Amino acid sequence: MRFSTLKRLRIATRKSALALWQTEHVARRLEAAHPGLEIELVPLSTRGDEVLDRSLAAIGGKGLFLKELEQAMLRGEADCAVHSLKDVPVDLEPGFAIPAVLERADPADAWVSDRYASIEELPAGAVVGTSSLRRQAQLRALRPDLSLRDLRGNVNTRLARLDAGDYDAVVLACAGLVRLGLAGRIRARLAPPDWLPAPAQGAIAVECRAGDGDVEALLAVLDHPPTRRCVEAERAMNRRLHGSCHVPVAAFAALRADHGLDLLGLVGDPDGGGILRVQQSADAEASPEQVGARAAEALLAQGAGQFLARG
């Protein structure tokens, strides 16, 4: 195990309340693990945060939340960056690595409504807000009569739109609401196996320049191997499918008591035609990449390629 001699660490972060919470959480964990370490937060605005009138798919995908933070690392203005791992493309830009994936929080989605306790309670034609194609596909499968409308912005912005009456309900991530002290807004959890999250949802990742041994050594203490094994399987499935925010892809992996892995996967039709599901199990000897690739192949065998081609 390598030890770091660094005494100061600069962490790049987006400026949203949730991003800052996650970065401050990482900072507190690092300070506890490395007494005397000085940490500086480097808040930055990303294109993904600035352009809110179009879907992520329309403006270039979730990687837009990372680009400015990665550029700051390349310029030497930051040593690492904190991300929601679900926002990190399955293939990093050359020259970057993820030495730490923190223990996963609740991976489920949250049903949030001021009037309706569940999806089933909504009247026909009710308006539900989400810009996630994955969430839209699963909502359509359950309630094809609903009106689904795009909803972007930070968590508080989305809740404000709901409270203003623009939507009858919205779907958000449970982890984000809990981290912001808003768990009381969750009317119901939309959870596996019936409802699947985005690959790696609920997990925080720390990215740095590949080969920066001193930074990697500082961050390694935060890595949670069980979480990493699960999210690597989910992301491997997504990689094999060439999934992106253009196509509804969902995945959730869980470790068994015997250290084997169970992976649930889903691909939806972006035009609203249906959903394909798969379950893949493996023993402890199988690599997460193998499990994810097998799940993807099973989905492709069901015809997922036709859905993916439309994305």
Side-chain angles (χ1 to χ4, degrees):
M1 179 177 178
R2 173 171 176 167
F3 292 92
S4 176
T5 58
L6 284 180
K7 300 298 183 185
R8 181 169 175 262
L9 188 72
R10 298 162 300 169
I11 308 179
T13 176
R14 293 161 57 195
K15 293 181 178 179
S16 73
L18 180 57
L20 288 170
W21 185 99
Q22 293 177 163
T23 305
E24 288 164 357
H25 175 69
V26 167
R28 290 192 299 268
R29 291 279 306 275
L30 287 171
E31 288 168 345
H34 305 291
L37 178 66
E38 178 186 345
I39 294 180
E40 175 189 350
L41 268 56
V42 183
L44 298 168
S45 181
T46 72
R47 180 166 169 77
D49 296 306
E50 294 168 353
V51 181
L52 300 177
D53 59 344
R54 284 169 285 167
S55 69
L56 283 174
I59 61 174
K62 291 183 176 181
L64 293 176
F65 289 127
L66 277 71
K67 186 174 181 181
E68 283 79 2
L69 279 63
E70 290 176 337
Q71 290 296 318
M73 287 188 277
L74 290 177
R75 292 193 300 266
E77 297 168 1
D79 303 301
C80 61
V82 173
H83 310 294
S84 294
L85 186 51
K86 70 180 181 65
D87 292 335
V88 177
V90 292
D91 293 311
L92 294 178
E93 289 294 321
F96 293 97
I98 296 178
V101 176
L102 280 66
E103 183 173 4
R104 191 180 211 166
D106 188 347
D109 277 336
W111 177 257
V112 183
S113 176
D114 295 328
R115 298 174 59 193
Y116 304 102
S118 67
I119 296 174
E120 293 74 21
E121 286 190 9
L122 285 175
V127 178
V128 180
T130 174
S131 294
S132 162
L133 295 181
R134 170 189 61 83
R135 289 168 176 161
Q136 290 176 4
Q138 294 182 86
L139 284 167
R140 285 193 183 99
L142 292 169
R143 291 287 306 271
D145 59 301
L146 297 178
S147 174
L148 306 182
R149 296 184 188 171
D150 281 346
L151 175 63
R152 292 202 50 220
N154 62 42
V155 171
N156 287 320
T157 297
R158 298 185 196 197
L159 291 175
R161 298 273 311 271
L162 170 69
D163 294 339
D166 295 343
Y167 304 89
D168 294 300
V170 299
V171 182
L172 304 171
C174 283
L177 290 167
V178 171
R179 286 166 179 160
L180 291 175
L182 297 168
R185 297 301 302 263
I186 301 173
R187 297 294 298 272
R189 291 175 69 252
L190 305 176
D194 300 320
W195 180 285
L196 298 188
Q201 184 162 305
I204 296 172
V206 191
E207 181 187 26
C208 70
R209 294 178 294 268
D212 193 336
D214 282 329
V215 174
E216 290 177 343
L218 280 178
L219 299 176
V221 69
L222 302 182
D223 195 52
H224 187 250
T227 294
R228 182 180 282 272
R229 181 166 166 79
C230 289
V231 300
E232 284 182 350
E234 296 164 15
R235 286 167 61 80
M237 188 199 87
N238 202 25
R239 179 182 296 108
R240 175 64 185 86
L241 293 172
H242 304 291
S244 69
C245 57
H246 297 266
V247 179
V249 174
F252 177 70
L255 290 178
R256 300 194 304 268
D258 64 358
H259 304 293
L261 194 66
D262 292 324
L263 173 63
L264 301 174
L266 176 154
V267 174
D269 182 349
D271 298 325
I275 280 179
L276 302 175
R277 293 178 179 270
V278 68
Q279 179 171 351
Q280 188 68 228
S281 296
D283 59 29
E285 302 304 315
S287 73
E289 290 77 13
Q290 290 172 328
V291 181
R294 288 205 297 264
E297 292 298 336
L299 285 164
L300 290 170
Q302 293 183 45
Q306 296 179 5
F307 291 178
L308 297 167
R310 297 192 201 112

